[in-house]
Amino acid sequence: MKYIALIIPLFFINFNNQENYKLKDRYNYLIEDNNSYILKDKITFKDSVFVFDNKYMPKGKISYGKSLILLENFINTDLILSIQKDQVLKDTIEFYMHDKNSSSANYLDEVTGKGKLIKIQ
């Protein structure tokens, strides 16, 4: 009985921590180019999708893994953004771009670019 009493609170603590690592709110989407950051668009995260302010961009899909969050489905469908889960708690989130058609065995191992998401207050 003691063990069951210990397991139940641990389950709820772990479940609540997972909820904190979800992307929410609105951010400026900046891409690094020649050691400077260029504002490309604004992006809004809702549940498991994201939407750019640019009306021509499709809705994107958010996948939550153990340590990474992946953003997929841009106009260039081969482009994927990866974010470390611990970055989500910050107001400025660094991300890395990956190409699905990369020459490496795992495309997430090869970074083709990087950028930042800056939270809009």
Side-chain angles (χ1 to χ4, degrees), residues 2-97:
K2 292 180 199 176
Y3 298 113
I4 292 174
L6 288 173
I7 291 173
I8 292 173
L10 290 176
F11 172 75
F12 285 110
I13 290 170
N14 190 24
F15 181 73
N16 288 336
N17 285 342
Q18 292 296 325
E19 202 59 36
N20 292 337
Y21 290 109
K22 298 256 182 194
L23 283 168
K24 304 173 199 160
D25 299 321
R26 196 156 184 239
Y27 292 84
N28 285 319
Y29 174 70
L30 293 90
I31 295 179
E32 184 182 270
D33 187 28
N34 294 329
N35 295 327
S36 63
Y37 287 92
I38 301 169
L39 177 65
K40 289 293 188 180
D41 206 347
K42 292 180 181 3
I43 185 170
T44 304
F45 294 99
K46 298 176 187 175
D47 298 323
S48 62
V49 296
F50 62 91
V51 180
F52 286 95
D53 281 1
N54 180 345
K55 301 300 180 202
Y56 300 108
M57 298 285 282
K59 282 187 179 180
K61 177 183 159 192
I62 304 172
S63 302
Y64 295 94
K66 282 187 174 185
S67 62
L68 280 179
I69 298 171
L70 301 177
L71 307 179
E72 304 176 58
N73 196 20
F74 293 89
I75 286 180
N76 176 359
T77 56
D78 295 329
L79 178 68
I80 290 189
L81 301 184
S82 66
I83 300 171
Q84 294 290 328
K85 267 198 173 175
D86 62 346
Q87 292 284 315
V88 173
L89 303 175
K90 302 176 182 176
D91 286 340
T92 301
I93 299 171
E94 293 183 9
F95 64 83
Y96 297 96
M97 293 183 262

